[in-house]
Amino acid sequence: MCMYSAKEGMPTDWHLVHYGSRAIGGPGLLFTEMTCVAPDARITHGCTGLWNDEQEAAWRRIVEFVHAQSATKICLQLGHAGRKGATKLMWDGMDRPLEEGGWEVLSASPEPYFPDSQVPRETSRADMERVKAEFVTATERAARIGFDMLELHCAHGYLLASFISPLTNRRTDEYGGSLDNRLRFPLEVFEAMRDAWPREKPMSVRISATDWAEGGITGDHAVEVARAFAQAGVDLVDVSAGQTVREARPVYGRMFQLPFSDQIRNEAHVATMCVGNITTADQVNTILAAGRADLVALGRPHLVDPFFTMKAAAWYGAKTYCPPQYAPGQDQIMRNSVRDRADLDDLKVRGKPKTRAELKAEGEGRRLAAE
Ligand SMILES: Cc1cc2nc3c(=O)[nH]c(=O)nc-3n(C[C@H](O)[C@H](O)[C@H](O)COP(=O)(O)O)c2cc1C
């Protein structure tokens, strides 16, 4: 998740501590924030990048720490902000245009995100070649660093997503019009990256499975999008939603994006990862057992609890890898979880409403006692 804490695209000590502590907390797989392939591919001045040797060295330090100190695998998410670039840090105004110090932004079509956002330049064929080459170079750097997995960001209205949605793609060339045409550039980028990424390592793509807006992408379209990426060699579709246009009307709630993962997994027969307001281990296990996703990602819960996974595992009596420095803490939660579970079971039994038969039997008992 974007930390908006990089300097000139360089991950800092913040990132080492942030990713390092999440890895130690025991998740199977850790995703980086959207890391940008060029200075003008950034969302904000605080976004991480992977376009020079210094950034490569900084990411290597993080990846080596994760591999040395945890059993967690780490996936790099690469992206290009498109028309949502040159905007303010989250805490200064999400997606709001920079008043100064910005840069020219690109999109599938020259339409701004907010009415007062910068009007993006329509991506030319030459821009496409340059952007594709930037993604490939960043992929080569990621492979050298030793990331375990790579994700291409094609969601949330960023550059590649702007091609996929008919709400942001008004082109009349072979990159606009039908869904096949709108997918052409994102697939060209994906295929070029797949060629540069080690065959034995997985790749995923993040998509917005609905635009939550009239005339936009729906779950049915997302099934087609997933099929196209699967044919191009994607191993996992990371199913997000929305953030394409300002007029969207998302339907929020617990696990609100899960139906799209379910639809894609079971109609396109592609492995999916679901995400979005999933907050308990119980929900995670239910989703997996019901076959509605192959992986479950938790974003905000991890911001405030790096040890979510270790604690959830302990609750079920399972031991995740724990660095020896922290073993006494894990031993304690393993012991306490047994008692806490027994207490909860006891409470559930005591709190269970009585059946009609039980109430009737109780009533008869009282009547007999009174006689
Ligand atoms: C602060 C913040 C930063 C985020 N950064 C990214 C990002 O870099 N890449 C991305 O694909 N999604 C990003 N997201 C979206 C999350 O990945 C996730 O889809 C969303 O928060 C919903 O999941 P959750 O309820 O588990 O947090 C971000 C969300 C937040 C709140």
Side-chain angles (χ1 to χ4, degrees):
M1 296 170 86
C2 291
M3 290 288 104
Y4 308 100
S5 303
K7 303 265 177 286
E8 303 294 332
M10 278 284 286
T12 61
D13 285 354
W14 173 269
H15 298 88
L16 178 68
V17 173
H18 170 63
Y19 292 117
S21 53
R22 266 80 203 155
I24 290 171
L29 182 59
L30 175 65
F31 281 74
T32 69
E33 62 206 271
M34 181 170 116
T35 296
C36 308
V37 295
D40 68 348
R42 288 176 298 170
I43 312 168
T44 72
H45 277 295
C47 291
T48 51
L50 186 50
W51 64 80
N52 65 34
D53 293 347
E54 291 73 31
Q55 292 158 355
E56 187 175 323
W59 277 115
R60 179 173 292 111
R61 181 164 172 243
I62 292 168
V63 171
E64 285 180 355
F65 180 90
V66 168
H67 286 159
Q69 304 298 339
S70 78
T72 300
K73 302 286 184 197
I74 179 164
C75 174
L76 174 70
Q77 185 185 68
L78 284 178
H80 188 302
R83 70 174 185 167
K84 287 175 143 182
T87 53
K88 296 181 179 176
L89 306 182
M90 175 179 70
W91 43 84
D92 291 335
M94 184 98 167
D95 297 327
R96 298 296 303 146
L98 284 172
E99 277 128 31
E100 51 189 44
W103 51 88
E104 189 187 33
V105 298
L106 292 176
S107 196
S109 298
E111 292 181 15
Y113 186 62
F114 286 110
D116 63 342
S117 296
Q118 190 189 139
V119 178
R121 185 156 60 81
E122 181 178 278
T123 312
S124 67
R125 191 55 237 170
D127 292 324
M128 288 185 208
E129 286 306 318
R130 174 177 62 85
V131 168
K132 186 167 73 177
E134 288 165 350
F135 271 101
V136 169
T137 307
T139 300
E140 289 163 354
R141 289 185 184 278
R144 272 202 300 273
I145 291 168
F147 277 102
D148 301 295
M149 181 171 163
L150 189 62
E151 175 162 286
L152 176 61
H153 204 316
C154 291
H156 303 167
Y158 297 125
L159 181 64
L160 298 176
S162 76
F163 276 82
I164 299 175
S165 172
L167 300 178
T168 45
N169 183 340
R170 314 279 188 195
R171 300 173 74 102
T172 52
D173 62 3
E174 70 268 41
Y175 292 92
S178 66
L179 180 58
D180 279 353
N181 280 0
R182 286 182 273 122
L183 274 169
R184 196 181 305 278
F185 180 51
L187 285 172
E188 280 178 9
V189 172
F190 177 82
E191 282 163 0
M193 289 167 74
R194 186 68 264 191
D195 284 346
W197 183 243
R199 287 180 72 84
E200 71 283 3
K201 289 190 178 183
M203 270 190 78
S204 58
V205 62
R206 180 163 243 212
I207 62 167
S208 285
T210 175
D211 289 330
W212 303 116
E214 190 71 30
I217 291 284
T218 64
D220 289 345
H221 299 128
V223 170
E224 296 308 315
V225 172
R227 280 202 183 109
F229 275 104
Q231 238 164 20
V234 93
D235 299 286
L236 180 85
V237 177
D238 173 1
V239 185
S240 190
Q243 301 177 48
T244 310
V245 287
R246 290 303 307 160
E247 314 76 76
R249 289 286 164 268
V251 182
Y252 292 120
R254 266 189 298 175
M255 308 190 282
F256 70 111
Q257 294 170 164
L258 177 60
F260 301 105
S261 161
D262 190 345
Q263 186 181 2
I264 291 169
R265 182 174 192 270
N266 293 301
E267 289 183 22
H269 305 293
V270 180
T272 61
M273 178 166 81
C274 68
V275 64
N277 212 10
I278 298 162
T279 52
T280 69
D282 223 13
Q283 290 170 345
V284 173
N285 285 335
T286 306
I287 291 166
L288 296 176
R292 305 184 75 191
D294 297 87
L295 293 178
V296 181
L298 283 80
R300 286 166 295 175
H302 275 110
L303 290 184
V304 287
D305 187 359
F307 286 83
F308 182 99
T309 310
M310 191 185 286
K311 288 195 271 188
W315 175 258
Y316 291 105
K319 220 169 181 178
T320 55
Y321 172 82
C322 177
Q325 296 93 325
Y326 288 179
Q330 190 186 40
D331 289 345
Q332 188 180 48
I333 50 170
M334 293 293 296
R335 273 195 309 275
N336 289 351
S337 291
V338 177
R339 203 186 53 221
D340 292 346
R341 278 189 71 131
D343 286 352
L344 184 68
D345 287 348
D346 186 45
L347 263 177
K348 279 184 188 160
V349 171
R350 285 169 198 266
K352 182 174 157 286
K354 293 204 163 88
T355 62
R356 293 178 75 84
E358 283 167 337
L359 287 170
K360 195 169 162 216
E362 260 181 23
E364 272 168 18
R366 269 200 299 275
R367 187 172 53 76
L368 285 174
E371 279 174 6

